[in-house]
Amino acid sequence: MPKIVDHQKQREKIAAAAWEVIRTKGMDQASIRNIAKQSGFSVGSIRHYFPSQASLLTFAMNLVSERVNERIHSMSFEGEPFKVMKEFLLQFLPTTKEKEVEMEVWMAFIIKSLSDDSLKEAGDEVYKGIKFGAASVIDALKKLKLLRDNLDEEYEVERLFALLDGLALHAVLQKTEFSTEKLERIIEQHLKSLCK
């Protein structure tokens, strides 16, 4: 009986190898040949799934946001609203080893997208997703009548978005300074500052 190959899983294995090359050797070393060596796939097998380096890197970049979305969709969103929103926002920050890896790779992709238009669209989509997440929290606080009166909601969305972005960057660059507990405390204090 012929072996059934899960092509999506194969693509994800190749993308994971690309992440590892990017994390350990840098984006400039993320060639098809180096990714093949890391993954155990032949160059020909990788080309079967990804006809170009750009298509492989775009897939690997999109996989970061898919993982975040999977975590968010697995949340129950039940319980005390403040805790649920805090947990939701922490999905965007490197509070576990898995999320740390994703964030390191994500940062490398963002820097690469400044000079590579093939990655810019994927990067823009992820930023839109994070901003939508920030907007969802502000909107939820308002609907639950928890949001402080007279706040400029649009401004607060931008402020929360900037906070998430900045914390993610600092947590990657200054790991010893930004523990999970510290990230949680900052998010919690920010949420409290928005509430009545």
Side-chain angles (χ1 to χ4, degrees), residues 130-186:
I130 298 168
K131 189 169 182 178
F132 178 76
S136 298
V137 167
I138 300 301
D139 189 53
L141 288 171
K142 182 180 179 181
K143 285 179 178 171
L144 293 165
K145 300 189 183 330
L146 296 173
L147 193 66
R148 280 178 34 222
D149 296 328
N150 303 317
L151 284 182
D152 181 333
E153 292 166 40
E154 196 173 310
Y155 171 78
E156 293 303 335
V157 168
E158 294 293 344
R159 198 164 75 107
L160 180 53
F161 176 43
L163 177 67
L164 290 170
D165 213 22
L167 285 176
L169 177 64
H170 289 303
V172 167
L173 297 177
Q174 302 290 327
K175 290 182 178 81
T176 57
E177 294 292 318
F178 284 84
S179 65
T180 296
E181 293 76 20
K182 186 173 187 177
L183 293 172
E184 288 179 1
R185 198 166 71 250
I186 292 169

Side-chain angles (χ1 to χ4, degrees), residues 7-67:
H7 296 293
Q8 180 64 17
K9 287 278 185 223
Q10 297 293 80
R11 287 184 184 91
E12 288 178 12
K13 283 181 187 175
I14 294 166
W19 287 8
E20 191 58 26
V21 170
I22 291 164
R23 285 184 68 235
T24 59
K25 297 179 180 170
M27 182 64 85
D28 59 333
Q29 294 298 310
S31 66
I32 297 289
R33 188 171 305 285
N34 285 340
I35 294 167
K37 187 175 178 183
Q38 178 69 38
S39 67
F41 285 80
S42 69
V43 170
S45 294
I46 291 179
R47 294 256 185 232
H48 170 75
Y49 291 108
F50 302 103
S52 67
Q53 182 190 31
S55 64
L56 169 51
L57 292 179
T58 299
F59 180 86
M61 188 177 191
N62 287 332
L63 188 58
V64 175
S65 58
E66 283 177 29
R67 296 273 170 91

Side-chain angles (χ1 to χ4, degrees), residues 64-65 67-77 83-96 98-100 102-103 130 164 168 183-184 187:
V64 175
S65 58
R67 296 273 170 91
V68 175
N69 285 329
E70 284 170 12
R71 282 195 299 272
I72 289 170
H73 286 105
S74 72
M75 289 178 64
S76 70
F77 290 94
K83 288 182 180 175
V84 170
M85 281 183 250
K86 176 184 165 186
E87 189 59 35
F88 171 75
L89 291 173
L90 289 171
Q91 299 309 312
F92 298 102
L93 298 175
T95 56
T96 65
E98 177 189 6
K99 291 194 281 183
E100 186 181 306
E102 293 168 1
M103 194 57 62
I130 298 168
L164 290 170
L183 293 172
E184 288 179 1
I187 290 295

